[in-house]
Amino acid sequence: MKSNIIPRMELLKASPYFSGLSITELEEVSRLLFERSYERDEIILAEGDETGALYFVASGAVKVFRASADGKEQILAIVLPEEAFNETPVFNGGINPASAQAMTPVVVYGLNSGDMEAVLRAKPQVAMNVIRIMAKKLRYLVSLVEELSFKRVISRIARILLDYAGDGAAAGMRLTQRDMAAMAGTAREVVGRSLKELVENGTIRMERHRIIISDRDALEDIAEQSF
Amino acid sequence: MENSMTPQINRDRCDGCGLCVMVCWLDGLVIINGVVAIVEGVECDWCTQCEAVCINEAITCPYEVILG
Ligand code: SF4
Ligand code: SF4
């Protein structure tokens, strides 16, 4: 199955980076874009490399992640069509802070940092847009860092699991990772990581569509912890 | 009867964008008449990637929580 590739002009029109620009201005930007395609699982950007381009997803889904020293993967974002990734090195120079991998066949449009800089100088409206987008991102990342470093989410997830657990006899309430994220006040990515941690420390088991609480007391302890 | 071993689909929410189809590593999803459907007999492993990429929350992978 091949999903539609969003044409350049359509993507630029939809992108918050370029809102407020005229059609002529968008056409100028569109001429600066280059196109790349990737197979599923292919690495688009490697953490630590110098890439120097801002990417817009024209088709498919891209996973942005960091690997920790012990090889654990922390998903920072799943980037969907019309959205952008790799902003940081574009705006402050330097290396890619995270890796990006194609979750599906992917088509991206790239804009080299040099070209982006020229656009920013020529069109202050774009600079204003960038500030707005970066502020929003910063807010998200700060909350992610807070959750990850203080581990409060994991106790909230433990509490949710205990509250919603049934005995398996009657059809119990069913929860998605998104539901749990909404209840814990966090991002879906953080829930995935918390569940993994609970599996690793032996308090729960995950069997396809079932989460089995294997050590209720230990899970209670985690739920009680305040960091 | 509803098959509890496959992701839940809300046909009204699905816009047929196909992202979940592309992300499913078991090729377990297809678009039929502009709406996602599950390939019969697929041994879905509940990786939840389809849910992760759907902005419309049209496909979801709920868990039942059980005291073991
Ligand atoms: S990603 Fe969501 S909206 Fe798109 S086809 Fe799949 S279920 Fe439908
Ligand atoms: S949960 Fe994973 S295996 Fe199952 S349908 Fe979704 S993407 Fe495919």
Side-chain angles (χ1 to χ4, degrees):
Chain A
M1 138 110 218
K2 197 166 181 302
S3 95
N4 300 335
I5 298 168
I6 306 172
R8 294 171 188 218
M9 278 301 279
E10 234 175 81
L11 193 144
L12 292 178
K13 271 188 226 162
S15 170
Y17 278 93
F18 304 106
S19 66
L21 293 195
S22 68
I23 295 292
T24 332
E25 287 174 311
L26 288 175
E27 275 164 355
E28 284 169 31
V29 178
S30 148
R31 280 194 287 274
L32 301 170
L33 298 178
F34 61 87
E35 186 177 320
R36 295 261 186 289
S37 306
Y38 299 90
E39 298 298 321
R40 177 200 302 222
D41 293 337
E42 217 179 313
I43 295 287
I44 301 173
L45 297 172
E47 185 177 338
D49 283 359
E50 274 182 54
T51 306
L54 176 64
Y55 291 94
F56 297 91
V57 178
S59 155
V62 174
K63 178 170 78 176
V64 177
F65 65 98
R66 294 190 68 139
S68 61
D70 56 357
K72 265 193 212 154
E73 189 180 273
Q74 170 63 43
I75 300 179
L76 299 171
I78 289 176
V79 191
L80 300 175
E82 289 182 4
E83 297 173 351
F85 62 97
N86 207 39
E87 299 89 339
T88 318
V90 173
F91 298 126
N92 81 347
I95 56 168
N96 307 331
S99 301
Q101 186 178 20
M103 297 173 78
T104 64
V106 163
V107 178
V108 296
Y109 300 137
L111 184 57
N112 286 317
S113 340
D115 291 335
M116 186 62 183
E117 205 178 311
V119 173
L120 287 172
R121 286 187 196 287
K123 307 181 199 315
Q125 175 62 42
V126 178
M128 290 304 296
N129 294 343
V130 168
I131 292 171
R132 225 168 271 137
I133 295 164
M134 288 300 129
K136 209 166 141 193
K137 255 198 187 338
L138 189 61
R139 201 185 298 244
Y140 168 74
L141 286 175
V142 165
S143 66
L144 195 65
V145 166
E146 205 175 294
E147 301 296 12
L148 293 174
S149 44
F150 300 114
K151 299 214 174 205
R152 284 178 309 196
V153 176
I154 203 159
S155 8
R156 276 184 245 152
I157 298 292
R159 173 53 55 212
I160 292 166
L161 293 178
L162 289 162
D163 286 350
Y164 286 89
D167 57 9
M173 168 85 187
R174 304 181 77 198
L175 292 176
T176 65
Q177 291 191 34
R178 221 183 277 274
D179 296 333
M180 292 182 229
M183 288 189 248
T186 187
R188 190 183 179 280
E189 290 79 8
V190 182
V191 172
R193 185 178 165 118
S194 304
L195 290 173
K196 247 190 233 158
E197 258 184 74
L198 292 173
V199 169
E200 278 164 17
N201 70 24
T203 47
I204 64 168
R205 287 201 317 274
M206 290 177 75
E207 286 175 7
R208 289 170 109 186
H209 63 299
R210 286 205 182 91
I211 295 175
I212 298 152
I213 299 178
S214 28
D215 189 340
R216 186 179 182 166
D217 293 341
L219 197 62
E220 281 285 2
D221 285 345
I222 293 171
E224 292 305 316
Q225 277 166 34
S226 47
F227 292 88
Chain B
M1 208 186 95
E2 169 212 4
N3 181 357
S4 61
M5 296 302 278
T6 58
Q8 309 289 299
I9 288 170
N10 183 331
R11 297 175 52 89
D12 295 336
R13 283 175 170 245
C14 174
D15 62 15
C17 73
L19 269 182
C20 58
V21 175
M22 292 200 296
V23 86
C24 178
W25 67 291
L26 292 172
D27 293 331
L29 304 169
V30 278
I31 301 292
I32 296 171
N33 297 329
V35 178
V36 71
I38 291 169
V39 173
E40 206 166 326
V42 67
E43 296 271 344
C44 163
D45 76 340
W46 228 254
C47 70
T48 79
Q49 297 276 46
C50 51
E51 174 185 293
V53 298
C54 179
I55 42 165
N56 297 321
E57 292 183 42
I59 187 159
T60 52
C61 304
Y63 292 94
E64 195 175 354
V65 188
I66 297 166
L67 282 174

